[in-house]
Amino acid sequence: MTLVLLDTNAYLRLAKRIKPLLGIRFGQKGYVLTILKDVEDEVHRSARLQEYFPWFDDPPLQQERLAKRVRLSRDEKAQITAMKSVLRQHALAHAADYTTLGRSPPSPTDCLCLAFGQVRQAIVATDDLGMHKLAEDFELPIFHCHEVLKKMLTAKAISKELVTDIYHALEVNGDLPRSWVEVKHTAFKKVFGLKPTLPAMESEAKAGSPQ
């Protein structure tokens, strides 16, 4: 089994439309998705997130999160706390590296997720570019959320239609990350097709222009 920890943004982008989402094994490596209680706490602390994602506390989702939550030993909790502190201090000490190229400084919850990944040998899934930078600095495995979607599609755990629905919903909500846009016609070319080339686009524009 390969544990994949969804951070807050990854969970919120997938949970409403992929049911069930957590605890289901898929793919040749036996990926299993989970989240931490701290993700729930982060949503509950944010009035903005609760306003944008009112479905978060729907009973079926609450029950799924509770049933599939990873249980940690006292020793694991201590190791995660220590690693979280190391990651947080590194991010603060190199703040300039986390405020360029679309990045934002990793929050305490972000650092906790990466610390969990290090201690439990899990892969963290996030669209947060600051977390990707921090993971890179410490050589920790990390996925973009669209990579999780692709692996689920390849494993036939979800359909092409569902991928289209998720992309469309994120576009409508103004929540489609640039990283998702960049792979739309490469990783998901079997869903969306190849991206039209510039000459082809120009030909189409000319054909549709009034004479």
Side-chain angles (χ1 to χ4, degrees):
M1 181 183 79
T2 303
L3 196 62
V4 178
L5 176 67
L6 303 176
D7 81 335
T8 306
N9 60 48
Y11 179 80
L12 291 174
R13 286 178 177 132
L14 300 180
K16 185 178 181 180
R17 293 170 183 83
I18 301 179
K19 300 176 182 180
L21 176 67
L22 306 178
I24 306 301
R25 186 176 297 215
F26 62 91
Q28 293 182 349
K29 294 188 177 181
Y31 294 111
V32 174
L33 307 181
T34 189
I35 67 167
L36 298 177
K37 183 178 183 298
D38 300 79
V39 166
E40 295 184 85
D41 294 341
E42 188 170 53
V43 174
H44 290 149
R45 287 195 302 266
S46 171
R48 181 182 65 84
L49 289 178
Q50 291 182 64
E51 178 182 355
Y52 280 122
F53 305 99
W55 49 263
F56 182 80
D57 281 324
D58 287 352
L61 293 176
Q62 284 184 316
Q63 293 165 12
E64 181 185 54
R65 293 195 297 267
L66 180 61
K68 303 304 180 182
R69 187 179 298 158
V70 175
R71 310 300 172 183
L72 298 169
S73 68
R74 181 178 299 179
D75 184 54
E76 286 175 328
K77 290 179 180 178
Q79 291 180 56
I80 289 171
T81 298
M83 185 61 183
K84 171 190 172 183
S85 178
V86 171
L87 293 166
R88 181 69 173 156
Q89 289 176 15
H90 176 85
L92 292 174
H94 300 84
D97 293 339
Y98 296 94
T99 54
T100 59
L101 302 176
R103 302 184 190 117
S104 56
S107 69
T109 301
D110 294 338
C111 293
L112 180 73
C113 287
L114 290 173
F116 174 93
Q118 197 269 347
V119 172
R120 286 297 299 264
Q121 297 186 332
I123 303 171
V124 176
T126 178
D127 291 319
D128 188 316
L129 299 181
M131 289 181 70
H132 278 265
K133 169 63 176 169
L134 188 54
E136 178 185 325
D137 288 348
F138 284 83
E139 298 183 346
L140 301 175
I142 193 164
F143 282 158
H144 284 283
C145 188
H146 63 71
E147 292 180 85
V148 175
L149 201 66
K150 176 61 186 301
K151 291 181 185 300
M152 296 188 81
L153 178 64
T154 300
K156 298 183 178 180
I158 57 175
S159 66
K160 292 180 181 179
E161 291 74 19
L162 185 52
V163 172
T164 302
D165 289 346
I166 292 171
Y167 258 84
H168 177 70
L170 295 181
E171 286 177 328
V172 169
N173 294 333
D175 188 36
L176 188 66
R178 185 179 66 185
S179 59
W180 286 55
V181 175
E182 291 172 348
V183 301
K184 184 174 182 179
H185 297 285
T186 53
F188 294 101
K189 62 184 177 182
K190 291 185 178 180
V191 179
F192 299 104
L194 293 172
K195 187 175 183 179
T197 60
L198 184 58
M201 293 173 67
E202 291 176 346
S203 298
E204 290 174 5
K206 290 178 180 178
S209 63
Q211 301 297 320

